[in-house]
Each structure stands twice: as C-alpha cells, then as structure tokens.
Amino acid sequence: MTRNGKSLLFTAALAAMVQFGGLAFAFADTTLLNVSYDPTRELYKEFDAAFAAKWKQDTGETVTIRTSHGGSGAQARSVIDGLPADVVTLALEADIDAIAQKTGKVPVDWRGKLPNNNAPYTSTIVFLVRKGNPKGIKDWGDLVKDGVEVITPNPKTSGGARWNFLAAWAWARNQYGGDDKKAEGFVAQLYKHVPVLDTGARGATTTFAQRGIGDVLLAWENEAFLALDELGAGNFEIVVPSISIKAEPPVALVDGNADARGTRKVAEAYLEYLYSDVGQKIAARHYYRPYKPEAADPADLKRFPDVKLVTIDAFGGWKKAQPAYFGDGGVFDQIYKPGQ
Amino acid sequence: MVIDQPFSAAGAQTPPPRSAVTEGRATRVALTVIALLFLAVFLVLPLVIVFLQAFANGVGAYFAALTEPDAVAAIQLTLLVAAIAVPLNLAFGVAAAWAVAKFEFKGKAFLTTLIDLPFSVSPVISGLVYVLLFGSQSLLGPWLAAHGVQILFAVPGIVLATIFVTFPFVARELIPLMEEQGTADEEAALSLGASGWQTFLRVTLPNVKWGLLYGVLLCNARAMGEFGAVSVVSGHIRGLTNTMPLQVEILYNEYNFAGAFAVASLLALLALVTLIIKTILEFRYGDALSGSTGH
C-alpha cells in the first residue's frame, strides 16, 4: 500500500469514528445520564422508571435515563475526565467537591441547593457476618482479634470505604476517651486484618459473599440488607455495632454538562423527584433511610435498627476530613502498607 | 511465533524402527493422565460451568437474558467495535508485516519492537493512555469539548483502546511467515513486469492468506473479549458503552448470575469457534501457515 493510500485510509477511518461518536450523543437529547456509586443500582432502576413515567405524564416527553455505577471516587474521576453526567449521585461530598474543583462543572456551593445538604437519603455502616456469627463479632473491637479477616473496599476509590474508615475511627475515639492517636492505632490495626481492597462496595460484597473470603464485611446498611435478600437470609447475618456513622450520600446537578446538553430542566426535576413522597418511598424500600420518614412505608422503616450515629462534622466536615485522612500522604497512606 | 506442524500425517506412513521414548509404559500413562487432568480442571471444567450456570434457570431465562435491551446493546457494541478495529488492524498488520519482512530499512528493529509494545503493556495502561490523551483534563480535552467531539466514554474511545490492544496480532502472525518465504517470488513477479501493487495482490497476499486469516481470528477474539483497557475508557453507561465483557461484570455484580453467565457463554462460544477454525486451519493448511512451501 502506498504511503498516501495508507494515510488516506486512516484519515477516513478516524473521521468515521469521530462521526460515530458525535452521533451517539447527538441523538441523546432526551436522555439523562446519572453517574452513581456502586450499591444504588437497584434503587435507581426502580426510581428511574418511576421518574420517566411521571415526566411523561407531566410533560408528554419521553426521557431515557442512563446509569453508570462504580466506586464513588472512580466515578467522580470519570466525570472529571469527561464522562458527560447530567447528575451525579455519589457516596460522599468529597467526590462531588472534587468535580467542582477540577472542572468547574458543578458550582462550589452545590451543597445546600437541595434539602438536607443535598442528601435525599442517608445510610450507615453495619457488619455482615457469616451464618451463626462463628467469630462472635459484636462490635468494632472484635474486628482486630486474632484470625479475623475484614473485607472493606479501598478508601481511595470507594466512598463507602471512607465511611467505613471513619466509622471505625469514631468508635475508637469514643473508646479511648477522644484520643485520636490511639484511634489511629486501632484503625491501622484494623487494616492489617484486610486481605484484599476492592475498588467499590459491590466488589467487596461479592468478594465476601460469592468468593467466600473474610469473616466480616463492613458494608453500607442497604448493601448488607440487599445481600441478605439476594443471597439468602440463611447464609449471612447483620451485626449492628454500638457506634456507626451517619452517611449522607449527596446528589447534585452537573450544571456544565446539563447546560451543554440542554437537559437542565429535566435533570433538576429528576433530583427534586428524589425528595418527593414517591422517591422517598422507593429509597426506603431499597433500605436507604429516607430524609422524610413520614413519606415512607412504616413497614420499611421498621427494618432499620437503632444505632448511635456520629456525623461527618465530628471529623470537621468532608472538606477537612478528605485531605487529612484520604488525600495523598494522608492518614490512610501512612497506616496502610500492603503486605505488612 | 512459529506455528506447530501437524504431526498426524507423517506418523502413519513411516513406521518408526523403534520407540522414540525410553520411559516405561507406566510413566507414559501417568504423564498422559496428569496432562489430561490438568486440561480438564483448568480448561474444560470452567467452560462447562459457564454453560451450566447460564442455563441454571432454564432455557427460557437464558434467552430472556440475551434479549434484554442492555445485553443486546452490549452485543451490538461489541460487534461494532470489532467490525471497526479488526479491519483497521488487518490493514495495518499487512502493511507493517510487508514492510518489515520484505524490505531493509533503518529503524526496522525499532518498528518491530513498537509493534510488540501492546503485548508487553498492561491493558489498564493502554486504557489510561487514552484518558490522559483525550480526557477533559488533558491537552486535547478542552479542544475536543469545544468542538463537541466525544472520544472518551463513547464508541471512539472504546475502538481506539481495542485497536491498541489488538495491534500486534496480525503483524506478529505474518512477519515470520513472510520472512521465511523470502522475496524470491516477488522478485520473479517484478522481473516479469508486474507492478509493485500487482505483486503484492497476486503474489505476496495469496502466499500468506491462511496465516492472515489466522491472525485476524486471534485479533477478533481479543477485540471482542478485551476487558481491562475498554473498562478504563468505557464510562460503564448501561446500554450505551458497555461491551459484552463489561456487561458480564455488571450482571455478576448485580447478583444476576444466570444473566452474567448467559452473556459469558456467548464469549465462550466465540472462543470455541475461534479454536475450531484455528484447528481446521492448522490441520489443512499447516504447510502454508508455517511457510515451508509456497502457494
């Protein structure tokens, strides 16, 4: 093949590909992309259908909602790298902050534009253990006993894992009378009991439940309940620790993308619908603690155990906690040394 | 890469004067059993499990899982990506192999090393390269965004990553073949007045056609099965940017094991078909593949 012929072919092929990529999104006018974190798959499957029906009824327009799921940090990274999300529904504030800081596509004051600090539902961290609780795990202190293997995802990529980390810290801090140095020692000890760090919460659940690795899974409450539902209640038990953390998974409009794609109106309606009675009911059904409990089915609410919850404010809010604990060279980097 | 010669034909006609192995019967049987057991445990068993799991909920559930919209979209995307990536790598592979095998030029060794590069690079890195190149935070990103071109997290990114990963397959298959065949046929054609293009089409290409087909098969199998690189650039949008291997992971993570294994069984089927065609090619055209004779 001649040099010219070859380069012509390549140019043509490249042009075709660029065309194709353009088309894939040009047709996407009435689609909404919700980039979410791992355990929300089932929740948004039901919610998206409900919202699409409602939108059709109100406006006559058909809207298709596309979803993408993964570890919260990894998902935020994808949005930063150009994944055209109209809305993000992630596991923690810090991930949306990162999008705001790195791209400007989310305003820095995004938090508070929606009720309850942009968290339409909350959750907490519980333990999932094998049937009969063979290692006798009752509370955080039992996790560092000899021979106990703990499954939790990587706090660098998973939002849930960061809540796990802080929940453990909160317990230890309380245990040692507010001594953060000792709390750090406990958390460091805890991560020595972790044989594998998955990138996302769902991966950790399958590692624990399907592959049978570890004695206890630190899980989102909703993820633990779902595992019971999906994998047989007889195989696992939920253990509620004495102290846990109130996790507020926030949602936000990605203004930059929604405006570029002309989807702002429907994207805003989508997020607001999460706060409606229908949205709250669906959240509770999928084991998320609703922001408005009165809207949810009382039978669903009864399933949530009472736990003493500390909030992220005990760690100075995410703006302080994120860099201090999970940033490059932060506490997690200092205490987690694989293979030791 | 040198393709094994089929040995079945030779053995039948010339009976060996004495056994080529000195080991006793028991040793031979033991070794054979070990080899077969190994194959059964590591190859046959997983394959059987894939199909068993796929049909665990019945044939109806199997086809329901495959006709579900997201699964159909994943299958279509996988076929589309392969349909773009494989012909491009076919063209590139032939051109590169031709240049390397038939001509002498400066930097030839360097080019050969470059062709092999994707084999030695982790697929995750192959994907990340495109994120660094085309991502919003990259040098090209803002320009692409301003012109409304979406490469990453869309079909073009997946195609690019797939092309990168499957780059060496065709060329690697053809280079040793062409080198072994030498340039005598081409020189004869040229001396008889054929143009360069004619020589390529009528002499070089027919000489390597079976090797080429073989390379394309391997290239296609990898293009459809690639996970790592594609996962990095996909964005995992359901029904839009999930290829079959990614769809398998998603379904598995959603506790939909029958669905996951149904899609996986398609990939396994693809592998089986590739293997069967490869075996037929080696059996029938082993000579042409190894390049020991002409056409």
Side-chain angles (χ1 to χ4, degrees):
Chain A
M1 205 180 284
T2 61
R3 185 177 253 266
N4 265 339
K6 196 174 144 201
S7 67
L8 196 71
L9 190 75
F10 264 90
T11 317
L14 260 177
M17 285 191 309
V18 169
Q19 277 295 324
F20 214 98
L23 278 180
F25 282 91
F27 283 127
D29 279 353
T30 48
T31 68
L32 214 54
L33 177 58
N34 174 5
V35 171
S36 193
Y37 66 111
D38 244 340
T40 60
R41 299 161 195 252
E42 292 76 15
L43 162 67
Y44 280 108
K45 202 170 194 175
E46 186 178 352
F47 176 77
D48 289 352
F51 175 74
K54 156 99 172 133
W55 188 253
K56 179 96 184 165
Q57 198 184 20
D58 288 359
T59 65
E61 290 170 32
T62 307
V63 57
T64 311
I65 297 128
R66 302 231 178 249
T67 52
S68 168
H69 298 275
S72 187
Q75 293 291 82
R77 184 71 241 177
S78 289
V79 174
I80 289 167
D81 282 330
L83 185 61
D86 300 287
V87 299
V88 283
T89 54
L90 295 176
L92 40 81
E93 252 179 271
D95 290 327
I96 301 183
D97 280 341
I99 299 173
Q101 284 156 13
K102 292 227 163 70
T103 69
K105 286 179 178 170
V106 177
V108 276
D109 60 346
W110 62 273
R111 196 176 185 228
K113 292 202 182 250
L114 289 164
N116 195 33
N117 296 325
N118 281 41
Y121 39 75
T122 64
S123 192
T124 186
I125 301 300
V126 298
F127 303 160
L128 193 67
V129 297
R130 302 196 186 280
K131 189 188 173 183
N133 197 359
K135 298 271 164 115
I137 289 155
K138 297 266 185 322
D139 207 351
W140 292 99
D142 299 323
L143 301 183
V144 296
K145 282 185 184 162
D146 278 350
V148 172
E149 283 196 333
V150 181
I151 303 297
T152 173
N154 188 344
K156 291 284 187 176
T157 56
S158 159
R162 275 174 257 177
W163 291 114
N164 291 348
F165 180 103
L166 293 178
W169 195 295
W171 174 85
R173 186 190 265 168
N174 186 62
Q175 193 74 7
Y176 299 121
D179 186 336
D180 267 340
K181 211 64 227 152
K182 281 185 177 155
E184 181 179 327
F186 169 76
V187 175
Q189 197 63 34
L190 175 63
Y191 276 89
K192 289 208 171 78
H193 288 256
V194 179
V196 49
L197 288 175
D198 285 284
T199 51
R202 189 54 63 87
T205 310
T206 39
T207 294
F208 178 75
Q210 290 302 118
R211 292 166 55 201
I213 298 176
D215 303 302
V216 52
L217 171 74
L218 309 187
W220 289 101
E221 181 179 52
N222 53 287
E223 187 74 0
F225 274 114
L226 184 74
L228 290 191
D229 280 356
E230 294 285 340
L231 302 164
N235 298 328
F236 305 99
E237 288 172 21
I238 290 177
V239 172
V240 181
S242 62
I243 288 187
S244 194
I245 195 153
K246 184 183 183 190
E248 297 179 311
V251 302
L253 178 74
V254 186
D255 297 55
N257 290 341
D259 285 341
R261 301 182 56 221
T263 52
R264 173 182 276 271
K265 220 176 106 215
V266 56
E268 277 175 346
Y270 178 81
L271 292 181
E272 277 157 19
Y273 198 57
L274 280 169
Y275 290 89
S276 73
D277 287 0
V278 178
Q280 293 289 298
K281 207 177 287 268
I282 293 174
R285 194 176 308 147
H286 291 276
Y287 306 105
Y288 286 86
R289 298 181 178 218
Y291 145 75
K292 279 190 300 187
E294 62 277 13
D297 189 339
D300 287 341
L301 293 179
K302 250 194 259 164
R303 303 179 300 187
F304 298 118
D306 279 330
V307 197
K308 187 181 169 201
L309 297 176
V310 298
T311 68
I312 187 64
D313 296 332
F315 296 91
W318 275 110
K319 285 208 166 51
K320 270 185 78 181
Q322 171 66 26
Y325 295 98
F326 309 112
D328 272 339
V331 176
F332 180 74
D333 279 346
Q334 290 162 30
I335 64 171
Y336 185 73
K337 300 194 175 63
Q340 286 192 2
Chain B
M1 199 188 297
V2 176
I3 291 109
D4 295 332
Q5 288 274 11
F7 46 83
S8 52
Q13 293 153 353
T14 49
R18 63 182 177 87
S19 176
V21 285
T22 50
E23 283 80 8
R25 193 180 163 75
T27 322
R28 272 184 285 158
V29 170
L31 283 174
T32 315
V33 167
I34 289 173
L36 284 178
L37 268 180
F38 191 82
L39 269 180
V41 170
F42 286 96
L43 283 174
V44 182
L45 203 63
L47 217 61
V48 170
I49 286 173
V50 166
F51 283 96
L52 278 183
Q53 287 277 356
F55 286 102
N57 296 352
V59 180
Y62 178 79
F63 286 104
L66 290 184
T67 48
E68 188 257 338
D70 284 351
V72 171
I75 295 169
Q76 283 174 342
L77 177 63
T78 304
L79 293 177
L80 173 72
V81 168
I84 300 172
V86 175
L88 283 179
N89 272 341
L90 168 73
F92 165 80
V94 171
W98 194 49
V100 169
K102 307 283 181 183
F103 300 95
E104 288 300 328
F105 54 91
K106 259 193 184 157
K108 185 166 144 172
F110 182 64
L111 180 65
T112 319
T113 315
L114 267 190
I115 292 171
D116 275 344
L117 188 70
F119 273 158
S120 51
V121 171
S122 158
V124 177
I125 308 297
S126 318
L128 270 180
V129 166
Y130 290 101
V131 174
L132 295 177
L133 208 57
F134 298 118
S136 297
Q137 305 288 300
S138 70
L139 229 62
L140 285 172
W143 187 89
L144 290 170
H147 290 77
V149 180
Q150 182 86 30
I151 289 186
L152 218 53
F153 310 119
V155 176
I158 299 174
V159 170
L160 284 172
T162 307
I163 289 178
F164 183 87
V165 171
T166 57
F167 217 48
F169 282 93
V170 174
R172 271 282 111 201
E173 205 55 54
L174 291 185
I175 288 171
L177 186 54
M178 284 183 168
E179 275 177 344
E180 207 172 335
Q181 287 174 351
T183 53
D185 287 0
E186 279 82 0
E187 279 159 12
L190 287 172
S191 73
L192 290 171
S195 72
W197 188 236
Q198 279 174 323
T199 309
F200 174 75
L201 280 183
R202 301 215 172 161
V203 177
T204 312
L205 213 49
N207 271 348
V208 297
K209 62 183 176 224
W210 299 116
L212 186 60
L213 187 56
Y214 188 59
V216 166
L217 270 177
L218 292 181
C219 179
N220 183 56
R222 180 67 189 270
M224 290 189 173
E226 175 57 23
F227 179 85
V230 169
S231 177
V232 176
V233 297
S234 140
H236 304 273
I237 308 171
R238 286 170 157 263
L240 203 63
T241 64
N242 279 326
T243 60
M244 279 161 75
L246 300 184
Q247 183 72 10
V248 171
E249 193 209 20
I250 284 183
L251 291 172
Y252 184 80
N253 278 346
E254 280 164 19
Y255 306 112
N256 184 354
F257 303 117
F261 282 105
V263 179
S265 74
L266 284 189
L267 285 170
L269 267 184
L270 168 80
L272 279 181
V273 169
T274 308
L275 202 71
I276 290 168
I277 300 180
K278 171 181 171 281
T279 314
I280 293 174
L281 279 182
E282 280 182 359
F283 182 71
R284 290 194 54 185
Y285 304 102
D287 289 353
L289 276 173
S290 71
S292 55
T293 60
H295 46 99

